Amino acid sequence: MFMTISTTGTPERPATDLGFLLHKHPDRSQAFSTSHGAAHVLYPEASAERCTAALLLEVDPVALVRRGNGNGKGRGGAPDSALAQYVNDRPYAASSLLAVALSTVFKSALRGVCAARPELVERPLPLRIEVPVLPARGGAELVGKLFAPLGWTVTAEAIALDEQFPAWGDSRYVRLVLEGELTLAQALRHLYVLLPVLDDAKHYWVAPDEVDKLLRAGDGWLAEHPERQLITSRYLAHRWSLTRQARERLELVRLAEADDTEIEAIDNAVDEDADTEDKPVPLAVLRREAILDALQGSGASRVLDLGCGQGQLVQALLKDVRFTEIVGVDVSMRALTVAARRLKLERMGERQADRVQLFQGSLAYTDKRLKGYDAAVLSEVIEHVDLERLPALEYAVFGSARPRTVLVTTPNVEYNVRWETLPAGHTRHSDHRFEWTRQEFRDWAGAVAGRHGYGVEFRPVGLDDPEVGPPTQLAVFTLAEQPNETPHTNDSAKNDTAKNETKKGVRAA
């Protein structure tokens, strides 16, 4: 299977700039190994006026069988017969195999990176892309619906089943030509997503990380695409749980763009003040404001954000010079990577960079790196922890790290009835292991404070409804003065006590 990418140029802007963007020199051919065969990049023509790059994928049929059915049977794709693993169109027709080859061979171009000529990345080019044989479940009409809204002029010609027997009609394959002025990165991302969508099959198992791949490649265009529901469903192999997750995240992107705000400012709670004409402050913003207020009141200067996620709170803390050292901790490296990008750590000035660090860690284990800080924040963290593992988190924070102040926020399940779109009995997020009533949270927090020598007070976050309370509840733990405190000598015994006490009177929502 193969495809070509062509562009035209002038003496001032030669077409051979395409070679810089693709990171492949026009004067030589190159070969790359993939999991299903060899990918070759070559240039049939390369001049200042016109340059064409071709990607040829030689599919290894043996590797195809060993790694799974070429049509995706049992691996998240189309349920073709068992014979299909030996007789199929994968070596000849563009499919998810070609999409994966694109991401492997043109990885930097797909990401929009060109170290040698960075000014080229954002420059739209007059592009012409040809895919001689493209499976299209939905025909030429669907091809147009998918590519035309993205700025392409689309030519999709149906390929006959057999030219010698026109009465047999057309096959499900088309010859595709796309023409338009777009950046190369945009073009490659469109192809990476839409090639397997049109084929409606994947050659590998569709795992949860496919949602992240889809959203990365779809950044800037998928949220507003008129066929986004079909795209998400097919790309994720019709796996409903993944499709729903992708659509929810795309809806957040769409709303954020419509409101000209950041995604994290949009929360899944209902409007706290629906009677006012002014737009209510998002709950995520109110939560951060409450945390900052409590930290400022505690006099803390060295702060831990435990379960920092994508770094929204760390970013807010950096804006206040009173916080001289800020540490974000999360078990997810992907979240930490996003946080680093959000904070622009690589471009941060030396003085500012000295104030912040991010590192990976699990709150289920004690960690000597967490000791010695003024305050620790657990913002919307505990409800993501299994109840039987909550005592381990408790001891790691309150028993081992022992900051002077600990702030814990968690949803108030009683408030969920005010959220009209939330079905009865459902939690606010699919990953929540539980959601507590106000009394359950107070019972847990009071027991934790008693076991570890803290005092605790409770504050509402958001509108404090007279019947069901606030949408979020905040506990402020303060370490009692213990100048002669001795080190703990029986960690396992204290952990067992915490575990037994936590289980008493606690129920999952």
Side-chain angles (χ1 to χ4, degrees):
M1 68 181 77
F2 75 97
M3 60 170 288
T4 60
I5 304 172
S6 303
T7 188
T8 57
T10 64
E12 295 77 23
R13 291 187 174 182
T16 48
D17 283 349
L18 182 64
F20 286 103
L21 288 169
L22 292 174
H23 294 254
K24 306 293 181 289
H25 200 287
D27 289 344
R28 61 176 181 267
S29 61
Q30 295 175 261
F32 304 85
S33 177
T34 75
S35 58
H36 288 86
H40 303 268
V41 179
L42 58 149
Y43 289 78
E45 55 182 340
S47 66
E49 293 76 26
R50 183 176 177 84
C51 184
T52 298
L55 173 62
L56 170 65
L57 179 61
E58 288 186 298
V59 176
D60 180 351
V62 176
L64 197 64
V65 173
R66 285 176 176 172
R67 292 180 177 270
N69 188 332
N71 285 293
K73 184 177 180 343
R75 300 182 65 81
D80 293 339
S81 67
L83 181 62
Q85 63 179 315
Y86 301 101
V87 182
N88 58 68
D89 62 2
R90 303 298 90 173
Y92 315 106
S95 65
S96 60
L97 289 169
L98 186 60
V100 170
L102 278 174
S103 67
T104 302
V105 177
F106 298 141
K107 183 177 181 179
S108 296
L110 192 70
R111 290 165 45 217
V113 175
C114 181
R117 298 282 300 279
E119 74 278 5
L120 297 178
V121 171
E122 298 299 326
R123 181 189 298 172
L125 301 174
L127 293 172
R128 177 184 172 91
I129 296 174
E130 296 188 46
V131 184
V133 183
L134 173 66
R137 296 181 187 270
E141 182 181 359
L142 179 60
V143 177
K145 287 182 178 180
L146 293 182
F147 282 102
L150 301 175
W152 293 104
T153 298
V154 183
T155 303
E157 301 175 354
I159 298 175
L161 278 172
D162 192 320
E163 294 180 355
Q164 301 299 319
F165 300 93
W168 289 4
D170 294 330
S171 69
R172 68 181 183 95
Y173 303 94
V174 300
R175 174 180 175 271
L176 174 64
V177 177
L178 300 174
E179 295 178 291
E181 287 217 5
L182 295 89
T183 68
L184 182 64
Q186 289 173 326
L188 293 177
R189 290 169 188 161
H190 297 166
L191 292 167
Y192 177 75
V193 172
L194 297 180
L195 289 181
V197 166
L198 283 165
D199 189 23
D200 199 15
K202 283 199 170 184
H203 66 279
Y204 57 88
W205 173 252
V206 176
D209 65 348
E210 289 294 300
V211 175
D212 296 320
K213 293 180 185 178
L214 172 62
L215 296 181
R216 281 196 301 269
D219 185 30
W221 62 272
L222 182 54
E224 296 297 332
H225 198 291
E227 299 294 333
R228 61 183 175 274
Q229 292 192 2
L230 179 142
I231 293 171
T232 54
S233 178
R234 286 194 176 191
Y235 185 89
L236 298 169
H238 304 280
R239 293 189 61 186
W240 170 240
S241 60
L242 299 183
T243 302
R244 182 179 62 183
Q245 180 183 346
R247 289 176 181 174
E248 288 174 351
R249 290 168 64 179
L250 283 172
E251 184 64 14
L252 285 178
V253 172
R254 192 185 66 80
L255 292 174
E257 290 176 349
D259 292 342
D260 193 24
T261 187
E262 294 188 8
I263 294 174
E264 65 272 9
I266 300 176
D267 201 272
N268 58 2
V270 295
D271 294 345
E272 284 87 24
D273 193 2
D275 294 330
T276 63
E277 294 182 357
D278 295 333
K279 185 178 179 179
V281 179
L283 183 57
V285 175
L286 294 175
R287 194 159 47 231
R288 281 198 294 274
E289 290 176 349
I291 291 169
L292 291 170
D293 182 64
L295 288 173
Q296 292 163 2
S298 74
S301 59
R302 303 175 68 240
V303 180
L304 295 166
D305 183 7
L306 303 178
C308 66
Q310 298 182 3
Q312 293 94 331
L313 179 59
V314 173
Q315 186 177 47
L317 291 168
L318 275 171
K319 295 177 182 178
D320 192 328
V321 295
R322 284 175 286 194
F323 303 115
T324 58
E325 185 177 351
I326 304 153
V327 176
V329 183
D330 204 282
V331 72
S332 168
M333 279 304 301
R334 186 178 66 84
L336 292 172
T337 300
V338 174
R341 190 182 307 127
R342 173 189 297 279
L343 299 171
K344 300 180 175 62
L345 288 183
E346 293 183 352
R347 290 176 282 170
M348 189 176 286
E350 183 177 351
R351 180 176 297 180
Q352 190 80 327
D354 286 341
R355 297 174 57 209
V356 62
Q357 62 175 312
L358 304 174
F359 64 74
Q360 186 181 29
S362 170
L363 300 181
Y365 304 96
T366 58
D367 190 334
K368 64 182 181 181
R369 295 176 298 178
L370 305 183
K371 293 184 177 182
Y373 287 86
D374 300 327
V377 178
L378 292 156
S379 178
E380 309 299 283
V381 171
I382 62 171
E383 64 272 11
H384 292 272
V385 178
D386 292 325
L387 281 171
E388 59 269 22
R389 298 186 65 82
L390 202 54
L393 177 148
E394 172 195 329
Y395 184 71
V397 176
F398 295 90
S400 176
R402 295 186 69 75
R404 291 203 315 268
T405 301
V406 180
L407 308 182
V408 180
T409 73
T410 192
N412 168 23
V413 70
E414 297 170 84
Y415 192 86
N416 287 359
V417 296
R418 296 289 187 259
W419 188 12
E420 295 180 358
T421 59
L422 181 66
H426 285 234
T427 57
R428 297 186 194 179
H429 190 282
S430 59
D431 189 54
H432 286 185
R433 305 311 202 260
F434 60 86
E435 288 176 358
W436 279 335
T437 65
R438 288 167 289 173
Q439 189 59 52
E440 287 169 337
F441 183 51
R442 286 173 180 266
D443 290 344
W444 174 81
V448 169
R451 283 192 289 270
H452 300 285
Y454 283 79
V456 62
E457 65 169 300
F458 301 91
R459 302 178 187 179
V461 179
L463 178 67
D464 196 355
D465 188 288
E467 294 182 4
V468 297
T472 296
Q473 39 196 342
L474 166 65
V476 181
F477 296 83
T478 305
L479 186 63
E481 292 295 334
Q482 296 176 317
N484 299 320
E485 183 179 4
T486 57
H488 300 289
T489 58
N490 192 347
D491 290 358
S492 61
K494 290 181 178 293
N495 240 339
D496 290 341
T497 301
K499 185 173 183 178
N500 292 333
E501 291 296 326
T502 300
K503 287 185 175 179
K504 292 179 180 178
V506 175
R507 67 170 179 86

